[in-house]
């Protein structure tokens, strides 16, 4: 396993948000964490990145305990993170946005080449100011930036939110290419429709607890999962 989240509890402002979340991501695997609004997806991802304090439980990445580690250190160890709110620098060009995320300047050309292979649209837009990009292009740029540190594991928080069907399909292709490079991926999603295209394995989260784990087929035919996602 590249990532193991073991019985993680998170409390924010006195409210119990995660109640013993356990999940794992295997090497080269795409795992989807599915849950409704407010279920705890973003908090789970933030706990892995060291962006919220873990009250109890353990997070093990690539054989090392990263619980309580600083976010920049976790990123440098090899976890890339594309947050829900695509954070790009509007005044910088696409290429500049990727460049400033690169850790080792001597790897600049190699990383740009790799990122443009994964996202051909970004190559075409390389000199465009990021503020002028469409929502979908900004999502792609946010993921490209997360790839700039050559991660072993990529965390994507709702990458498909608000994207047109055609853009969704292009993003599928990019995610498949990322997996082909041997990078493991954890995707948080509220929409189950992406499961058959992407997931090797699925977890469902509800009120801060993992309530289901299974294959894509098992997930899609589970009456319990469909009920949870419908909200009754
Ligand atoms: N700083 C905070 N203090 C108190 N409660 C919080 C805080 N941050 C998040 N929460 C609550 O924790 C719960 C889980 O939030 P989280 O953002 O992890 O859900 P999510 O599954 O990502 O939802 P969404 O689909 O809306 O992105 C929600 O009920 C939210 O209101
Ligand atoms: Mg969220």
């Amino acid at each position: 396993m590249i990532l193991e989240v073991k019985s993680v509890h998170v409390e924010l402002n006195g409210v119990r948000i995660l109640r013993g979340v356990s999940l794992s991501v295997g090497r080269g695997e795409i795992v989807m964490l599915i849950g409704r609004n407010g279920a705890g997806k973003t908090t789970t991802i933030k706990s892995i990145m060291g962006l919220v304090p873990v009250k109890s439980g353990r997070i093990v990445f690539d054989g090392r305990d990263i619980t309580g580690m600083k976010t920049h250190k976790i990123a440098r160890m090899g976890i890339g993170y594309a947050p829900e709110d695509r954070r790009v620098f509007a005044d910088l060009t696409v290429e500049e946005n990727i460049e400033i995320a690169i850790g080792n300047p001597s790897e600049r050309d190699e990383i740009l080449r790799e990122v443009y292979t994964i996202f051909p649209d970004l190559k075409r837009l390389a000199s465009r100011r990021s503020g002028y990009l469409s929502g979908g292009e900004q999502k792609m740029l946010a993921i490209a930036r997360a790839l700039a540190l050559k991660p072993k594991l990529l965390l994507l928080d709702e990458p498909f939110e608000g994207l047109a069907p055609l853009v969704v399909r292009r993003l599928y292709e990019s995610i498949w290419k990322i997996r082909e490079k041997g990078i493991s991926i954890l995707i948080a999603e509220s929409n189950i429709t992406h499961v058959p295209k992407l997931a090797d394995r699925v977890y469902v989260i509800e009120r801060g607890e993992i309530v289901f784990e299974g294959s894509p087929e098992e997930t899609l035919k589970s009456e319990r999962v469909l009920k949870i996602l419908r909200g009754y």
Side-chain angles (χ1 to χ4, degrees):
M1 291 291 161
I2 186 86
L3 177 75
E4 282 174 280
V5 175
K6 299 178 182 180
S7 195
V8 162
H9 289 256
V10 169
E11 212 175 280
L12 299 172
N13 301 314
V15 185
R16 291 172 64 193
I17 308 290
L18 298 187
R19 308 149 187 258
V21 166
S22 295
L23 61 85
S24 62
V25 179
R27 287 179 197 274
E29 215 181 13
I30 298 181
V31 172
M32 292 191 84
L33 177 64
I34 305 284
R36 292 193 299 148
N37 289 350
K41 305 178 296 292
T42 298
T43 308
T44 301
I45 286 189
K46 284 185 173 173
S47 73
I48 298 166
M49 272 329 273
L51 289 163
V52 294
V54 170
K55 193 168 184 234
S56 68
R58 287 269 153 265
I59 298 166
V60 178
F61 168 65
D62 208 10
R64 287 173 67 184
D65 191 335
I66 60 165
T67 325
M69 230 181 235
K70 290 260 191 289
T71 302
H72 65 93
K73 217 174 149 196
I74 294 171
R76 247 184 283 130
M77 279 181 66
I79 307 186
Y81 168 45
E84 206 168 0
D85 47 359
R86 41 178 198 257
R87 254 176 262 160
V88 300
F89 296 98
D91 292 335
L92 300 185
T93 66
V94 165
E95 189 149 303
E96 286 164 349
N97 259 286
I98 301 167
E99 277 177 327
I100 57 167
I102 291 172
N104 182 350
S106 69
E107 293 178 335
R108 176 192 175 275
D109 293 354
E110 177 206 329
I111 288 170
L112 281 176
R113 204 176 326 114
E114 212 167 281
V115 163
Y116 289 149
T117 317
I118 292 166
F119 296 105
D121 292 334
L122 294 183
K123 184 172 188 173
R124 186 169 49 78
L125 298 165
S127 55
R128 175 126 6 138
R129 282 223 198 162
S130 304
Y132 295 123
L133 298 181
S134 71
E137 289 158 354
Q138 289 192 15
K139 288 254 178 190
M140 290 179 187
L141 180 54
I143 300 172
R145 285 172 49 78
L147 288 171
L149 280 177
K150 298 223 251 176
K152 295 177 188 154
L153 171 70
L154 193 57
L155 309 177
L156 304 179
D157 196 352
E158 305 224 27
F160 301 106
E161 206 184 10
L163 300 190
L166 197 76
V167 186
V168 167
R169 215 154 332 128
R170 295 185 78 91
L171 191 49
Y172 284 160
E173 283 164 15
S174 299
I175 292 174
W176 293 331
K177 282 188 209 163
I178 293 168
R179 192 214 345 227
E180 275 166 32
K181 297 203 171 289
I183 300 170
S184 315
I185 308 172
L186 176 63
I187 305 175
E189 255 303 327
S190 51
N191 194 336
I192 200 169
T193 59
H194 307 292
V195 162
K197 286 284 182 195
L198 293 173
D200 295 312
R201 227 146 41 74
V202 179
Y203 293 93
V204 177
I205 187 168
E206 172 70 357
R207 293 174 214 272
E209 284 180 271
I210 300 291
V211 292
F212 178 91
E213 177 192 350
S215 68
E217 298 73 28
E218 287 162 348
T219 308
L220 290 164
K221 67 173 194 232
S222 162
E223 204 47 55
R224 191 162 66 89
V225 167
L226 300 179
K227 265 188 189 160
I228 289 166
L229 296 180
R230 275 200 305 263
Y232 55 86

